[in-house]
Every structure is written in C-alpha cells, then in structure tokens.
Amino acid sequence: MSTVEVHLADTALVDELRKDVRDGLTSDPKWLSPKYFYDAVGSELFEQITVLPEYYPTRTERALLEEHALDIAEATESTMLIELGSGSSEKTKILLAAGVKHGSLKTYVPQDVSVTALEGAIEQLSLEFPALDVRGIVSDFTDTLSNLPDGLRRTIAFLGGTLGNLIPEEREEFLGAIAGALDSGEYLLLGVGLVIDPDVLVPAYDDAAGVTAQFNRNVLSVINSRLGGNFDVDAFEHVALWNAEQEWIEMRLRATSAQEVYLADLDLHVHFDEGEELRTEISAKFRPQGITDELAAAGFDVEHLWTDTDSRFALILARK
Ligand code: AVJ
C-alpha cells in the first residue's frame, strides 16, 4: 500500500520560491536557498555526488546505519518511521529492513521537496517492502512538522547531514519544532557530518570530476526555468570553502565577468560585478558535544552517538 500526498499547494510553493529568490538576490551578499537545487536534474546530480570518491558522508553514514540498524529498532520499537528530506530513500532501506525484521515497524512516511525523487523511491519500496504502509509527503521539511501523521511510537529520521544546511538560528527553531511534534518517549534519528581536516572536507564539496560544480550551477537553471530568468549558467564558477570560524562549508557561484540578469516572473533585474559571489549553500559540520548540547536545548536526550573510526560522521539516537 503506498500513496503520495502533495501537502503544499503549487501556489504556496511558487510564492515561497518567489519570495526566497527576491530576498536572496537583492541581499548583499547575494544568496539562494539550497532547497532549490533539487529539481529532477539536481536530484540526479546529487545521487551522482553520493558515489564520488571524495564525497565520504553517504557511504560513511550507510556503514553506520548497517552497523546499528537493529540497535535502533530495539531501542525505539517504532511503529512508524518518518523521514525528513528522504530523497531516494536508498540508505533508509537498511532501517526499514531492521524495523520489519524486529516486527515493530508498520508505516514509513518519506517526505521530500522533489516529487520525482519521492515517486521513484516509493515505487522501489513497494516492491521491496510489500507489507509496509508507505505514505509519501511532498513538502519542504521545515513545513512538514505541523501536520505529522499520528502513530503509536514514532521515530523521525533526518539523515545525510542535511541539518547542516540550516543556519544556527534556523537549526534551533527546527530542532525545537521536531521536539514539539513528538511525544515524550518518541525518537529523533539524526545523521550529521563532524568537523574534520579541511583537506578531506573541501574536496568532498569540490570533486575532481566536477559533478558538485555542475550540481551547484544547476540551481541557476532551476531559477531560469521556474522564474523566467536568463542567468548565463556558464558565466559562473563553482567555489567551495571551509569557514573555520563558523565551522561550515560554503558553496558559492562566482561571476567570471559582469552579468546582467533578468527574472521576468519577478520583474527583477540583478547585476553581478565581475568576481562577485552568490552563496548557494552552507553545510555545517558538528562536534559531538556541540550537537548534544543543541539537542538538549531542544528537549532531547542523546541515548547513542555512534561515529565511524575516522570520526567523520555521527549517527545520533535522541529521545524526546
Ligand atoms: C544533502 C545537504 C547533506 O551538504 O553535504 C552535497 C548536499 N552539497 N554536495 C551536503 C551537497 C554539495 C549535502 N546534503
């Protein structure tokens, strides 16, 4: 049994896009929200990133999930797994298999901004887990929590290090909203990247094959097609840098020459100086104590914090 619900009306999604893009492109410095990376092309490019030799997060998190999935099922005894930003749900299958094997898990609720990613995932899952009730939700993860489905014992999973895409204030609000949506005794399963040597970190966001550069530039194509824009995508180069003070990776797009851009749907003219940079993503990395404190401030007790042997990534099971 499987369904997909589109929770945000198209008009609400478009209004949000229009507002975000206008805000970001009229700010100094300019920025765009990373959630607009994920059209069909962007979601596919992200899947390619996850198998790059330099991009360690996905494979590291998968190994942690494989190692601890049964522990997670036993600790939570969850009947429902809700996953925020589920994408292809590829790693989640490990959790689903463990939950089904344990006997407790009945329902999986994947949520993603990408309709195509979600539909593809659900089709796969219904074949692999025919007994599981799968209810997909298309929405923005920051908007999902207000109408979370009821369940007996729920776990919310937020994997892949996506928490790092939020700036600290947004993060605090978001973790608070997750805590607010859960009853006491329910769980959050969180995957986050840890602060490591920038010589390992930066190449993960600036790979030799140039896939991340393509992924980054694709956001300009997304804006062009959704808002009637005329960004010259090839006039921008990919930049990835480690902000040591904030402890986050920043991706930017740098105009290689002066650019005049027009977004017809917003009737907005945007000028870029030669060399001007547009911030497209932050990807914060964490320290075990820091994320434990942030979770405690939101009302969670960290029951387990598992890391790989190189301490590059952490899988955290926190109880409300
Ligand atoms: C999917 C948000 C976790 O920040 O590592 C990958 C996205 N950006 N390469 C990340 C991303 C550039 C990714 N997240």
Side-chain angles (χ1 to χ4, degrees):
M1 178 170 44
S2 64
T3 58
V4 182
E5 284 175 35
V6 179
H7 268 204
L8 286 175
D10 271 5
T11 54
L13 284 169
V14 172
D15 286 350
E16 193 171 336
L17 167 76
R18 293 169 61 100
K19 183 183 182 307
D20 282 354
V21 172
R22 184 184 294 281
D23 285 355
L25 294 183
T26 56
S27 293
D28 184 20
K30 297 180 175 69
W31 57 271
L32 286 172
S33 167
K35 67 182 175 227
Y36 301 118
F37 282 133
Y38 302 94
D39 69 341
V41 173
S43 295
E44 172 52 32
L45 285 168
F46 178 67
E47 291 306 313
Q48 291 179 29
I49 288 173
T50 64
V51 295
L52 290 169
E54 296 96 332
Y55 194 77
Y56 61 86
T58 307
R59 71 179 66 92
T60 308
E61 185 178 52
R62 183 184 304 109
L64 288 169
L65 287 168
E66 267 158 7
E67 210 176 322
H68 302 294
L70 220 44
D71 302 332
I72 293 164
E74 283 166 7
T76 64
E77 300 195 306
S78 273
T79 56
M80 179 185 283
L81 180 69
I82 300 154
E83 184 176 16
L84 306 177
S86 54
S88 67
S89 297
E90 191 267 321
K91 282 171 294 176
T92 320
K93 289 176 190 168
I94 301 160
L95 292 173
L96 299 178
V100 167
K101 185 174 169 198
H102 178 263
S104 47
L105 188 68
K106 307 290 178 230
T107 309
Y108 173 50
V109 183
Q111 171 279 325
D112 205 83
V113 285
S114 168
V115 190
T116 49
L118 203 56
E119 282 174 346
I122 287 175
E123 201 182 307
Q124 269 295 310
L125 289 168
S126 58
L127 296 174
E128 274 184 57
F129 301 94
L132 204 62
D133 177 14
V134 180
R135 305 185 202 160
I137 302 177
V138 178
S139 72
D140 173 344
F141 61 66
T142 51
D143 300 327
T144 303
L145 296 166
S146 39
N147 43 5
L148 219 56
D150 288 330
L152 210 51
R153 288 184 302 276
R154 299 169 301 180
T155 293
I156 294 184
F158 192 42
L159 301 174
T162 305
L163 183 69
N165 276 179
L166 304 180
I167 59 172
E169 304 83 83
E170 290 173 330
R171 213 154 72 204
E172 188 184 339
E173 193 187 321
F174 184 59
L175 290 175
I178 296 178
L182 291 176
D183 294 325
S184 111
E186 294 185 313
Y187 284 88
L188 170 64
L189 180 68
L190 183 66
V192 292
L194 297 175
V195 175
I196 56 166
D197 185 346
D199 291 345
V200 178
L201 202 37
V202 174
Y205 292 83
D206 194 6
D207 62 281
V211 183
T212 308
Q214 240 185 299
F215 171 76
N216 194 7
R217 277 193 293 264
N218 177 62
V219 77
L220 301 180
S221 306
V222 172
I223 304 302
N224 281 348
S225 66
R226 295 192 61 190
L227 293 176
N230 65 352
F231 270 105
D232 176 359
V233 176
D234 296 325
F236 289 82
E237 63 187 9
H238 172 65
V239 176
L241 55 88
W242 172 240
N243 183 329
E245 195 189 325
Q246 302 283 3
E247 298 192 321
W248 66 44
I249 286 280
E250 244 175 87
M251 292 210 312
R252 301 176 181 174
L253 288 168
R254 181 191 293 141
T256 54
S257 57
Q259 298 291 313
E260 304 302 333
V261 180
Y262 180 62
L263 302 182
D265 295 10
L266 300 181
D267 190 23
L268 179 69
H269 292 271
V270 186
H271 169 82
F272 285 84
D273 291 333
E274 179 180 345
E276 186 176 342
E277 292 177 347
L278 163 68
R279 194 186 77 202
T280 52
E281 181 178 57
I282 65 157
S283 191
K285 304 304 163 196
F286 297 83
R287 295 176 186 272
Q289 191 59 56
I291 187 65
T292 300
D293 292 348
E294 284 186 41
L295 286 165
F300 286 105
D301 270 339
V302 170
E303 283 193 356
H304 296 278
L305 189 151
W306 295 291
T307 64
D308 56 300
T309 46
D310 296 324
S311 295
R312 291 178 174 182
F313 204 91
L315 185 65
I316 300 168
L317 187 63
R319 186 173 197 269
K320 164 78 188 298

